[in-house]
Protein backbone atom coordinates (compact mmCIF):
# COMPACT_ATOMS: atom_id res chain seq x y z
CA UNK A 1 0.00 0.00 0.00
CA UNK A 2 2.85 2.41 0.82
CA UNK A 3 4.40 1.68 -2.58
CA UNK A 4 1.13 2.60 -4.28
CA UNK A 5 0.83 5.77 -2.23
CA UNK A 6 4.37 6.79 -3.13
CA UNK A 7 3.78 6.25 -6.82
CA UNK A 8 0.67 8.41 -6.84
CA UNK A 9 1.69 11.15 -4.41
CA UNK A 10 1.93 14.53 -6.10
CA UNK A 11 0.77 13.21 -9.50
CA UNK A 12 -2.23 14.57 -11.40
CA UNK A 13 -3.60 12.07 -13.86
CA UNK A 14 -5.06 13.92 -16.81
CA UNK A 15 -7.54 11.59 -18.45
CA UNK A 16 -8.99 12.90 -21.68
CA UNK A 17 -12.53 11.81 -22.26
CA UNK A 18 -15.14 12.75 -24.84
CA UNK A 19 -18.29 13.71 -22.97
CA UNK A 20 -21.65 13.50 -24.81
CA UNK A 21 -22.60 16.87 -26.27
CA UNK A 22 -19.37 18.57 -25.20
CA UNK A 23 -15.88 19.27 -26.42
CA UNK A 24 -12.86 17.25 -25.28
CA UNK A 25 -12.65 17.64 -21.47
CA UNK A 26 -10.03 16.89 -18.82
CA UNK A 27 -10.39 14.75 -15.71
CA UNK A 28 -8.15 15.93 -12.84
CA UNK A 29 -7.28 13.25 -10.27
CA UNK A 30 -6.55 14.25 -6.67
CA UNK A 31 -5.13 11.61 -4.33
CA UNK A 32 -6.51 11.55 -0.77
CA UNK A 33 -4.29 10.24 2.03
CA UNK A 34 -3.16 10.99 5.57
CA UNK A 35 -3.32 13.97 5.80
CA UNK A 36 -3.19 15.71 2.47
CA UNK A 37 -4.90 16.21 -0.84
CA UNK A 38 -2.31 15.72 -3.56
CA UNK A 39 -2.06 18.02 -5.37
CA UNK A 40 -3.69 20.44 -2.96
CA UNK A 41 -3.99 23.29 -5.46
CA UNK A 42 -4.82 23.05 -9.17
CA UNK A 43 -4.97 26.14 -11.37
CA UNK A 44 -5.49 24.74 -14.88
CA UNK A 45 -9.13 23.66 -14.64
CA UNK A 46 -11.60 24.62 -17.36
CA UNK A 47 -15.36 24.77 -17.03
CA UNK A 48 -16.60 21.39 -18.23
CA UNK A 49 -13.71 19.47 -16.64
CA UNK A 50 -14.22 16.85 -13.94
CA UNK A 51 -12.47 16.67 -10.56
CA UNK A 52 -11.90 13.13 -9.22
CA UNK A 53 -10.79 12.44 -5.65
CA UNK A 54 -9.23 8.96 -5.20
CA UNK A 55 -8.63 7.22 -1.86
CA UNK A 56 -5.06 6.17 -1.03
CA UNK A 57 -5.13 5.84 2.76
CA UNK A 58 -7.00 6.91 5.89
CA UNK A 59 -10.64 7.93 6.33
CA UNK A 60 -11.50 11.35 4.92
CA UNK A 61 -14.06 13.52 3.15
CA UNK A 62 -14.00 15.99 0.30
CA UNK A 63 -16.32 18.80 1.33
CA UNK A 64 -16.84 22.13 -0.42
CA UNK A 65 -16.39 25.32 1.62
CA UNK A 66 -16.37 28.46 -0.55
CA UNK A 67 -17.23 28.05 -4.21
CA UNK A 68 -18.47 30.29 -7.08
CA UNK A 69 -22.07 31.47 -6.99
CA UNK A 70 -24.36 29.06 -8.80
CA UNK A 71 -22.02 26.09 -8.49
CA UNK A 72 -23.23 22.93 -6.74
CA UNK A 73 -21.85 22.11 -3.30
CA UNK A 74 -20.48 18.65 -2.53
CA UNK A 75 -19.71 16.49 0.49
CA UNK A 76 -18.53 12.90 0.05
CA UNK A 77 -16.58 10.43 2.15
CA UNK A 78 -13.31 9.14 0.70
CA UNK A 79 -12.54 5.90 2.47
CA UNK A 80 -11.57 2.31 1.81
CA UNK A 81 -15.28 1.72 1.15
CA UNK A 82 -16.05 4.84 -0.89
CA UNK A 83 -12.84 5.01 -2.86
CA UNK A 84 -13.60 7.89 -5.26
CA UNK A 85 -15.83 10.88 -5.92
CA UNK A 86 -16.30 12.97 -9.08
CA UNK A 87 -17.46 16.56 -9.43
CA UNK A 88 -18.34 18.26 -12.73
CA UNK A 89 -17.18 21.89 -12.88
CA UNK A 90 -19.93 24.15 -14.25
CA UNK A 91 -18.90 27.65 -13.13
CA UNK A 92 -15.72 29.67 -13.44
CA UNK A 93 -13.99 30.78 -10.23
CA UNK A 94 -12.12 29.51 -7.19
CA UNK A 95 -13.29 26.36 -5.40
CA UNK A 96 -12.13 25.65 -1.85
CA UNK A 97 -12.72 22.35 -0.09
CA UNK A 98 -11.64 20.43 3.03
CA UNK A 99 -11.51 17.08 4.75
CA UNK A 100 -14.00 17.62 7.57
CA UNK A 101 -12.33 15.49 10.26
CA UNK A 102 -8.83 16.77 9.44
CA UNK A 103 -9.36 20.46 8.67
CA UNK A 104 -7.45 21.38 11.83
CA UNK A 105 -4.49 19.44 10.52
CA UNK A 106 -4.43 21.58 7.39
CA UNK A 107 -6.07 19.04 5.09
CA UNK A 108 -7.60 21.53 2.65
CA UNK A 109 -7.45 22.04 -1.11
CA UNK A 110 -8.54 24.29 -3.92
CA UNK A 111 -8.79 24.56 -7.66
CA UNK A 112 -9.36 27.49 -10.01
CA UNK A 113 -11.62 27.09 -13.04
CA UNK A 114 -11.69 29.40 -16.04
CA UNK A 115 -14.36 29.65 -18.69
CA UNK A 116 -13.69 27.53 -21.74
CA UNK A 117 -12.98 29.24 -25.06
CA UNK A 118 -16.15 28.80 -27.13
CA UNK A 119 -15.88 26.83 -30.35
CA UNK A 120 -18.32 26.28 -33.21
CA UNK A 121 -17.97 24.23 -36.39
CA UNK A 122 -20.80 23.57 -38.86
CA UNK A 123 -21.08 21.02 -41.65
CA UNK A 124 -21.95 21.33 -44.45
CA UNK A 125 -22.18 25.00 -45.29
CA UNK A 126 -25.08 24.47 -47.71
CA UNK A 127 -27.74 21.87 -48.41
CA UNK A 128 -29.37 21.63 -51.84
CA UNK A 129 -32.97 20.39 -51.63
CA UNK A 130 -35.83 19.75 -54.02
CA UNK A 131 -38.91 21.89 -54.47
CA UNK A 132 -41.17 19.56 -52.42
CA UNK A 133 -41.53 20.27 -48.67
CA UNK A 134 -39.20 18.35 -46.41
CA UNK A 135 -36.29 18.66 -44.02
CA UNK A 136 -32.50 18.46 -44.01
CA UNK A 137 -29.82 18.67 -41.34
CA UNK A 138 -26.49 20.23 -40.41
CA UNK A 139 -23.93 18.89 -37.91
CA UNK A 140 -22.80 21.12 -35.04
CA UNK A 141 -19.52 20.68 -33.19
CA UNK A 142 -19.30 23.02 -30.20
CA UNK A 143 -18.50 23.26 -26.51
CA UNK A 144 -21.10 25.93 -25.79
CA UNK A 145 -24.79 26.78 -25.94
CA UNK A 146 -25.94 27.86 -29.42
CA UNK A 147 -29.09 29.41 -30.85
CA UNK A 148 -30.38 29.69 -34.40
CA UNK A 149 -32.53 32.00 -36.49
CA UNK A 150 -33.60 32.01 -40.14
CA UNK A 151 -34.18 34.86 -42.57
CA UNK A 152 -37.05 33.22 -44.51
CA UNK A 153 -40.53 32.29 -43.32
CA UNK A 154 -40.56 29.15 -45.47
CA UNK A 155 -37.63 27.63 -43.59
CA UNK A 156 -37.44 26.95 -39.84
CA UNK A 157 -34.63 25.38 -37.82
CA UNK A 158 -33.92 23.74 -34.48
CA UNK A 159 -34.01 26.83 -32.22
CA UNK A 160 -31.13 25.99 -29.86
CA UNK A 161 -28.81 23.34 -28.49
CA UNK A 162 -25.79 22.70 -26.30
CA UNK A 163 -22.51 21.15 -27.36
CA UNK A 164 -22.33 18.75 -30.27
CA UNK A 165 -25.64 18.26 -32.00
CA UNK A 166 -27.74 18.57 -35.12
CA UNK A 167 -29.68 21.45 -36.64
CA UNK A 168 -32.76 20.21 -38.47
CA UNK A 169 -34.02 22.66 -41.10
CA UNK A 170 -37.64 22.19 -42.22
CA UNK A 171 -38.79 23.86 -45.42
CA UNK A 172 -42.10 24.33 -47.23
CA UNK A 173 -42.69 23.44 -50.87
CA UNK A 174 -41.52 26.03 -53.37
CA UNK A 175 -44.56 27.22 -55.35
CA UNK A 176 -42.47 29.22 -57.82
CA UNK A 177 -40.12 28.25 -60.62
CA UNK A 178 -37.25 30.25 -59.11
CA UNK A 179 -34.53 28.79 -56.90
CA UNK A 180 -34.61 30.29 -53.42
CA UNK A 181 -32.15 30.39 -50.52
CA UNK A 182 -32.70 30.53 -46.77
CA UNK A 183 -29.86 31.53 -44.44
CA UNK A 184 -29.68 30.01 -40.96
CA UNK A 185 -27.60 32.03 -38.48
CA UNK A 186 -26.02 30.19 -35.53
CA UNK A 187 -24.87 32.23 -32.54
CA UNK A 188 -22.54 31.33 -29.67
CA UNK A 189 -21.74 33.87 -26.99
CA UNK A 190 -18.24 35.22 -27.55
CA UNK A 191 -18.11 34.32 -31.25
CA UNK A 192 -19.20 36.02 -34.43
CA UNK A 193 -22.41 34.48 -35.84
CA UNK A 194 -21.93 31.70 -38.39
CA UNK A 195 -24.26 30.85 -41.26
CA UNK A 196 -25.38 27.86 -43.26
CA UNK A 197 -27.82 27.92 -46.16
CA UNK A 198 -30.63 25.83 -47.62
CA UNK A 199 -30.90 26.19 -51.41
CA UNK A 200 -34.24 24.98 -52.75
CA UNK A 201 -35.03 24.17 -56.38
CA UNK A 202 -37.91 25.87 -58.17
CA UNK A 203 -41.03 23.78 -58.76
CA UNK A 204 -40.94 24.06 -62.56
CA UNK A 205 -37.96 22.42 -64.23
CA UNK A 206 -37.73 22.20 -68.01
CA UNK A 207 -35.22 21.06 -70.57
CA UNK A 208 -35.86 21.09 -74.31
CA UNK A 209 -39.30 22.22 -75.47
CA UNK A 210 -41.49 24.63 -73.56
CA UNK A 211 -43.52 22.39 -71.21
CA UNK A 212 -45.81 25.18 -70.01
CA UNK A 213 -47.36 25.33 -73.46
CA UNK A 214 -47.65 21.57 -73.89
CA UNK A 215 -48.91 20.35 -70.49
CA UNK A 216 -52.34 21.28 -69.13
CA UNK A 217 -54.49 20.14 -66.18
CA UNK A 218 -58.23 20.82 -66.13
CA UNK A 219 -60.39 21.45 -64.28
CA UNK A 220 -58.09 22.90 -61.64
CA UNK A 221 -59.25 23.11 -58.85
CA UNK A 222 -60.93 19.72 -59.31
CA UNK A 223 -63.29 17.57 -57.26
CA UNK A 224 -62.41 14.06 -58.37
CA UNK A 225 -61.62 13.60 -62.08
CA UNK A 226 -58.97 15.63 -63.87
CA UNK A 227 -57.83 15.62 -67.47
CA UNK A 228 -54.13 15.96 -68.18
CA UNK A 229 -53.51 17.00 -71.76
CA UNK A 230 -50.07 16.78 -73.32
CA UNK A 231 -49.95 18.73 -76.57
CA UNK A 232 -46.98 18.57 -78.92
CA UNK A 233 -45.98 15.11 -77.69
CA UNK A 234 -47.83 12.75 -80.06
CA UNK A 235 -46.71 9.16 -79.74
CA UNK A 236 -44.19 9.95 -77.01
CA UNK A 237 -44.05 7.91 -73.82
CA UNK A 238 -44.94 10.02 -70.77
CA UNK A 239 -44.71 9.09 -67.08
CA UNK A 240 -46.99 10.85 -64.60
CA UNK A 241 -46.44 11.19 -60.86
CA UNK A 242 -48.48 12.99 -58.18
CA UNK A 243 -47.04 14.12 -54.84
CA UNK A 244 -48.80 15.53 -51.79
CA UNK A 245 -47.76 18.81 -50.15
CA UNK A 246 -45.07 17.20 -47.98
CA UNK A 247 -43.50 15.21 -50.79
CA UNK A 248 -45.11 11.78 -50.49
CA UNK A 249 -45.82 10.13 -53.84
CA UNK A 250 -49.54 9.31 -53.93
CA UNK A 251 -49.95 8.33 -57.58
CA UNK A 252 -47.84 6.93 -60.40
CA UNK A 253 -49.31 6.11 -63.77
CA UNK A 254 -48.14 3.51 -66.17
CA UNK A 255 -46.28 4.92 -69.14
CA UNK A 256 -48.85 6.53 -71.42
CA UNK A 257 -48.71 7.57 -75.06
CA UNK A 258 -52.05 9.36 -75.48
CA UNK A 259 -52.28 13.11 -75.82
CA UNK A 260 -54.77 13.25 -72.95
CA UNK A 261 -55.48 11.07 -69.92
CA UNK A 262 -58.29 11.22 -67.37
CA UNK A 263 -57.45 10.46 -63.76
CA UNK A 264 -59.96 9.66 -61.00
CA UNK A 265 -58.51 11.14 -57.81
CA UNK A 266 -61.62 10.89 -55.64
CA UNK A 267 -59.79 8.67 -53.14
CA UNK A 268 -57.18 11.33 -52.35
CA UNK A 269 -57.73 13.74 -49.43
CA UNK A 270 -58.69 17.28 -50.41
CA UNK A 271 -55.74 19.64 -50.57
CA UNK A 272 -52.73 20.72 -52.62
CA UNK A 273 -50.77 18.34 -54.84
CA UNK A 274 -48.01 18.48 -57.43
CA UNK A 275 -48.26 16.70 -60.77
CA UNK A 276 -44.98 15.87 -62.51
CA UNK A 277 -44.67 14.46 -66.00
CA UNK A 278 -41.49 13.25 -67.63
CA UNK A 279 -41.12 12.79 -71.37
CA UNK A 280 -37.62 12.25 -72.64
CA UNK A 281 -35.63 15.30 -71.57
CA UNK A 282 -38.74 17.34 -70.66
CA UNK A 283 -39.73 17.57 -66.99
CA UNK A 284 -42.65 19.67 -65.83
CA UNK A 285 -44.34 20.20 -62.46
CA UNK A 286 -47.71 21.86 -61.91
CA UNK A 287 -49.79 22.44 -58.82
CA UNK A 288 -53.17 20.72 -58.51
CA UNK A 289 -55.85 21.60 -55.96
CA UNK A 290 -58.53 19.07 -54.98
CA UNK A 291 -61.69 20.51 -53.40
CA UNK A 292 -64.97 19.18 -52.04
Amino acid sequence: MKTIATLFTGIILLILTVLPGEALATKHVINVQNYTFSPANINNVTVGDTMRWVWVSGSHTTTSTTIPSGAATWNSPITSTVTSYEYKVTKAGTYNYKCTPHTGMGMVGSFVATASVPTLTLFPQNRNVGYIAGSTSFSVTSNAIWTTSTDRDWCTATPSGSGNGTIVATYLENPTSATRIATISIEVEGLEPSQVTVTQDGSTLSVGSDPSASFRIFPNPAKDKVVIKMDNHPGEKVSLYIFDAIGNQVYQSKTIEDEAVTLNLASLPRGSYFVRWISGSDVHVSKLLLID
Side-chain angles (χ1 to χ4, degrees), residues 131-146:
Y131 70 94
I132 297 174
S135 62
T136 188
S137 63
F138 300 86
S139 296
V140 180
T141 303
S142 182
N143 62 352
I145 295 173
W146 43 267

Side-chain angles (χ1 to χ4, degrees), residues 120-270:
L120 177 65
T121 303
L122 304 167
F123 181 82
Q125 294 302 305
N126 176 72
R127 289 286 195 188
N128 292 307
V129 300
Y131 70 94
I132 297 174
S135 62
T136 188
S137 63
F138 300 86
S139 296
V140 180
T141 303
S142 182
N143 62 352
I145 295 173
W146 43 267
T147 59
T148 72
S149 61
T150 64
D151 65 346
R152 296 291 183 267
D153 292 340
W154 55 267
C155 183
T156 59
T158 304
S160 62
S162 178
N164 299 339
T166 301
I167 296 172
V168 177
T170 303
Y171 48 88
L172 301 177
E173 52 90 3
N174 187 351
T176 73
S177 61
T179 298
R180 60 184 183 178
I181 300 175
T183 299
I184 303 172
S185 295
I186 301 90
E187 296 188 15
V188 168
E189 186 175 356
L191 297 177
E192 290 294 321
S194 297
Q195 288 83 32
V196 294
T197 53
V198 176
T199 301
Q200 187 178 33
D201 294 335
S203 61
T204 301
L205 306 174
S206 64
V207 180
S209 62
D210 179 10
S212 63
S214 60
F215 178 78
R216 292 180 289 153
I217 302 175
F218 56 90
N220 191 7
K223 290 187 176 181
D224 46 21
K225 293 183 179 180
V226 297
V227 176
I228 299 178
K229 186 171 177 57
M230 294 156 283
D231 301 329
N232 304 325
H233 289 272
E236 292 186 15
K237 293 182 178 181
V238 177
S239 297
L240 285 173
Y241 304 86
I242 300 179
F243 301 88
D244 63 18
I246 62 173
N248 296 314
Q249 183 177 303
V250 297
Y251 178 87
Q252 178 181 352
S253 76
K254 296 179 180 178
T255 301
I256 56 178
E257 299 182 35
D258 300 327
E259 290 188 11
V261 61
T262 300
L263 303 180
N264 189 341
L265 304 178
S267 63
L268 295 180
R270 308 297 89 178

Side-chain angles (χ1 to χ4, degrees), residues 25-124:
T26 300
K27 185 173 290 187
H28 304 267
V29 176
I30 303 165
N31 297 293
V32 184
Q33 57 193 350
N34 290 336
Y35 294 99
T36 61
F37 295 107
S38 181
N41 306 104
I42 304 175
N43 296 315
N44 62 338
V45 177
T46 302
V47 171
D49 287 356
T50 296
M51 312 304 295
R52 179 178 174 85
W53 288 266
V54 177
W55 177 81
V56 175
S57 63
S59 182
H60 309 280
T61 73
T62 173
T63 305
S64 60
T65 53
T66 57
I67 61 176
S69 175
T73 60
W74 72 89
N75 181 25
S76 174
I78 303 294
T79 65
S80 59
T81 302
V82 182
T83 58
S84 66
Y85 175 74
E86 291 189 351
Y87 178 82
K88 175 72 174 295
V89 181
T90 60
K91 300 289 182 179
T94 299
Y95 293 73
N96 295 292
Y97 61 93
K98 66 181 181 179
C99 168
T100 300
H102 301 125
T103 305
M105 301 180 70
M107 193 170 178
V108 295
S110 69
F111 57 90
V112 179
T114 57
S116 58
V117 177
T119 61
L120 177 65
T121 303
L122 304 167
F123 181 82

